[in-house]
Amino acid sequence: MVSNTRPSRADYYRVLADALPEHALVVTALGNASYLWAATHHTPENFYIEDAMGLALPLALGLAVAQPTRHVVVVEGDGAVLMHLGALITVGAVAPRNLTVLLIHNGVHAASGGQVLTNPALDLAQLARSAGIGRAENVATPAAFDQALRAAFAADGPQVLVLSTEPDLDVVRPPITLDPVLTKHRFMIAIGAPRYVPTMFGGGRLKGD
Amino acid sequence: MMSVAPAADRHRPSELLATLKRLGFGVAVAVPDSWLGEILMRIEQEPTMRLVRATHEEEALAIACGARLGGVRTAMLIQNVGLLSMGAGMVCLAQRYQFPLLMLASYRGTPEDPVFYHIPKARATEPVLTGLGLAHVRADPDRPIGLQVEAAATYAEEASSPFVLLLSREDIQW
């Protein structure tokens, strides 16, 4: 039997969890992008964003610049990327070799109840290529995603994979607290980020342990 | 005895850039302003610094948060109008996640600024920063700018929050 339904976000997330390289860092956008990823593959190297719509992609770009030896994966929504399209241009200009952008293309603002996008039919892969990102493609099945993702991790980036996805409007309950400061500290400790030594201890600088 | 040039005699943009290097700032994220043009080109030439030119100040803020998350001390160089347009990212990302960021903003629209259309920006800047709960100070023209940059950067780290230093043309334009 042939099914016309698009894959779910969960279908793609299972593939992502299996294919992630060691020491990869994952940034997820608001809503189920973060909640479901926390339920699927929670590790300290995940940075979950709540709210701040459209800012997962530029944050991941800054992270990729700061951590050039690690793969950085960002899961952003189609509605979110439309809110800050300039970030695609900046990714194209900076061209970090270690950044993989996954765009959940469901045509709606799922986190706000499924309201339709301004242009749900936009070809986001074409848009990414026009923004200077050489490797960008549309993906419609988990099997194709698995193949494209492994190719992306094996090659120099940046790359964009646009994932045709069925909207998921039911909010997933994350299995962990997504306290923002805890998330940040857990992440920074996991990657061994230098810590700030306060001035009263003769510091005033970032220092590695 | 070593003599130190009075603050007014020093080239303040050079001192500002030297301070960023001395403090170990590895990433600068910027959106253009005419006062910033030359210093951005000089940052681009610094071997220890990486300049990212963003398309919008809210985007720049998120890039800076990501770089700091990755463990690199990060400064933003923008015009004050960008502080007016980045409010959502400031409260939902930078302040909510407590990112220490040094924000160096050209303070356009003051009586010393010859470009008349910047005036509304200056009128709104400090009330908006106060409304956002965003710590800020206007650079003192009678004190060395390097010390003021260091104090601002230290505040950002020790308060775990962004801090805005509002700069005059003499502070930042090469």
Side-chain angles (χ1 to χ4, degrees), chain B residues 11-28 36-51 75 77 102 104 144-150 165 167 170-174:
Chain B
H11 185 245
R12 293 169 73 83
S14 302
E15 195 179 341
L16 187 151
L17 178 54
T19 303
L20 292 179
K21 288 160 56 184
R22 180 171 58 80
L23 296 178
F25 278 83
V27 172
L36 301 176
E38 176 72 18
I39 196 167
L40 295 184
M41 287 195 291
R42 290 181 182 258
I43 289 173
E44 228 157 18
Q45 291 161 7
E46 287 296 335
T48 61
M49 296 182 77
R50 174 80 183 264
L51 178 71
L77 291 95
L102 173 64
L104 302 172
I145 192 65
L147 293 178
Q148 297 180 73
V149 169
E150 181 162 7
L165 184 60
L167 301 166
E170 291 70 26
D171 295 324
I172 194 77
Q173 189 174 37
W174 212 270

Side-chain angles (χ1 to χ4, degrees), chain B residues 20-92:
Chain B
L20 292 179
K21 288 160 56 184
R22 180 171 58 80
L23 296 178
F25 278 83
V27 172
V29 190
V31 178
D33 172 57
S34 58
W35 291 0
L36 301 176
E38 176 72 18
I39 196 167
L40 295 184
M41 287 195 291
R42 290 181 182 258
I43 289 173
E44 228 157 18
Q45 291 161 7
E46 287 296 335
T48 61
M49 296 182 77
R50 174 80 183 264
L51 178 71
V52 178
R53 295 180 183 270
T55 66
H56 184 275
E57 288 85 355
E58 193 176 18
E59 174 201 323
L61 178 68
I63 295 169
C65 289
R68 187 62 187 83
L69 179 69
V72 178
R73 213 166 186 188
T74 303
M76 294 179 64
L77 291 95
I78 56 173
Q79 190 198 106
N80 55 331
V81 74
L83 298 166
L84 307 181
S85 64
M86 67 165 64
M90 177 55 68
V91 298
C92 299

Side-chain angles (χ1 to χ4, degrees), chain A:
Chain A
M1 190 175 89
V2 176
S3 169
N4 290 324
T5 23
R6 292 169 286 179
S8 68
R9 191 191 303 266
D11 293 332
Y12 289 121
Y13 271 7
R14 280 189 287 274
V15 172
L16 175 61
D18 284 344
L20 265 184
E22 198 178 7
H23 305 306
L25 308 175
V26 180
V27 177
T28 48
L30 78 169
N32 280 348
S34 281
Y35 302 150
L36 184 62
W37 185 242
T40 305
H41 189 79
H42 171 65
T43 75
E45 290 89 357
N46 293 340
F47 187 76
Y48 308 108
I49 292 182
E50 285 194 301
D51 207 4
M53 191 167 173
L55 298 183
L57 176 56
L59 181 137
L61 170 60
L63 179 62
V65 168
Q67 288 285 323
T69 62
R70 291 180 185 250
H71 286 284
V72 175
V73 178
V74 56
V75 182
E76 184 69 286
D78 48 5
V81 85
L82 292 186
M83 292 185 80
H84 282 283
L85 265 184
L88 271 183
I89 314 294
T90 310
V91 168
V94 175
R97 299 166 61 172
N98 56 332
L99 180 63
T100 300
V101 182
L102 307 179
L103 293 181
I104 300 293
H105 189 22
N106 54 20
V108 299
H109 290 289
S112 57
Q115 296 163 64
V116 69
L117 299 191
T118 307
N119 181 356
L122 201 60
D123 185 341
L124 293 170
Q126 178 63 37
L127 198 64
R129 285 191 290 273
S130 299
I133 302 169
R135 297 167 59 91
E137 60 180 293
N138 291 300
V139 172
T141 67
F145 178 50
D146 186 52
Q147 192 173 14
L149 191 59
R150 290 177 193 278
F153 290 143
D156 281 345
Q159 33 246 316
V160 172
L161 300 177
V162 182
L163 312 179
S164 177
T165 310
E166 196 65 21
D168 51 347
L169 303 185
D170 292 335
V171 177
V172 173
R173 187 188 184 95
I176 56 162
T177 174
L178 295 189
D179 176 275
V181 178
L182 175 62
T183 297
K184 182 188 73 172
H185 285 308
R186 183 173 57 214
F187 183 94
M188 294 183 76
I189 289 168
I191 66 171
R195 64 191 176 92
Y196 179 81
V197 179
T199 46
M200 72 176 288
F201 299 117
R205 299 283 190 282
L206 295 190
K207 290 181 181 162
D209 287 322

